[in-house]
Amino acid sequence: IAGITQAPTSQILAAGRRMTLRCTQDMRHNAMYWYRQDLGLGLRLIHYSNTAGTTGKGEVPDGYSVSRANTDDFPLTLASAVPSQTSVYFCASSAGRGVYNEQFFGPGTRLTVL
Amino acid sequence: AQSVTQLGSHVSVSEGALVLLRCNYSSSVPPYLFWYVQYPNQGLQLLLKYTTGATLVKGINGFEAEFKKSETSFHLTKPSAHMSDAAEYFCAVSDRSGDKIIFGKGTRLHILP
């Protein structure tokens, strides 16, 4: 069982370029999340999806978009990357809300925008 | 709105000594509380969680945490630190009907030989 996979592992990107970070889970979890982790700031939620076909904005959604066409996949797109989006990005999933909201994390994608 | 404060961005303890990582939360409703651990170059893993019932929660790797409503705290402890405990630890809160977990900024635990 793989759990959550993310691709790529790392990426260096020129500013202004479009980039999609991929996330796939095989646990049939309803909810999925994207976080960015920055030194001294902890994890901040970018976007989330409670179930396939729905998405919501987190704490820092600007400059990012997501889609949830099916249960397993939750890609994160940077339409036009900027240096402030240099970060480590983590995808997570959970079976649902409330008491079920134990989140399982992927290994992360390290993104550098130059 | 929920929030989490972790006291101390870095904590150092000697191997074999008590580990105490502090977490205070703010929540308008009874919270669900979590501690996660992140080892270098990895994602987060759940250590333990409090939902209802017993206020002393035991987790993996010998860690435990106590929910104290009167102090709005959920401090993480381990009686005897091991070198393998060196990692970053995150406290988090989720309300009972929420879609999201709010993470603290993290505490990096250093173990001194």
Side-chain angles (χ1 to χ4, degrees), chain A residues 51-105:
Chain A
T51 189
T54 68
T55 62
K57 293 182 179 180
E59 181 183 358
V60 288
D62 294 343
Y64 305 95
S65 63
V66 292
S67 61
R68 187 87 184 276
N70 57 59
T71 297
D72 299 343
D73 301 301
F74 191 44
L76 176 73
T77 297
L78 288 67
S80 179
V82 295
S84 62
Q85 292 178 311
T86 293
S87 188
V88 181
Y89 291 86
F90 288 98
C91 181
S93 71
S94 66
R97 298 177 174 181
V99 69
Y100 301 110
N101 207 7
E102 173 182 341
Q103 296 192 5
F104 295 83
F105 284 78

Side-chain angles (χ1 to χ4, degrees), chain B residues 9-80:
Chain B
S9 57
H10 291 265
V11 170
S12 296
V13 302
S14 298
E15 191 174 18
L18 172 71
V19 175
L20 171 60
L21 304 182
R22 299 177 187 274
C23 172
N24 288 90
Y25 69 90
S26 171
S27 177
S28 57
V29 296
Y32 293 159
L33 295 161
F34 306 82
W35 275 99
Y36 283 83
V37 60
Q38 184 181 32
Y39 297 104
N41 300 313
Q42 295 185 25
L44 280 70
Q45 304 172 34
L46 182 69
L47 268 181
L48 50 81
K49 65 178 179 180
Y50 168 79
T51 54
T52 59
T55 56
L56 182 63
V57 180
K58 295 185 184 299
I60 61 171
N61 300 337
F63 284 93
E64 61 184 35
E66 186 170 10
F67 169 58
K68 292 187 176 181
K69 184 178 179 181
S70 61
E71 299 177 8
T72 61
S73 69
F74 191 57
H75 302 331
L76 182 70
T77 60
K78 181 174 180 177
S80 176

Side-chain angles (χ1 to χ4, degrees), chain A residues 36-48:
Chain A
R36 59 178 290 173
Q37 184 178 25
D38 302 288
L39 192 65
L41 297 178
L43 275 80
R44 293 181 291 169
L45 182 66
I46 303 171
H47 285 287
Y48 67 97

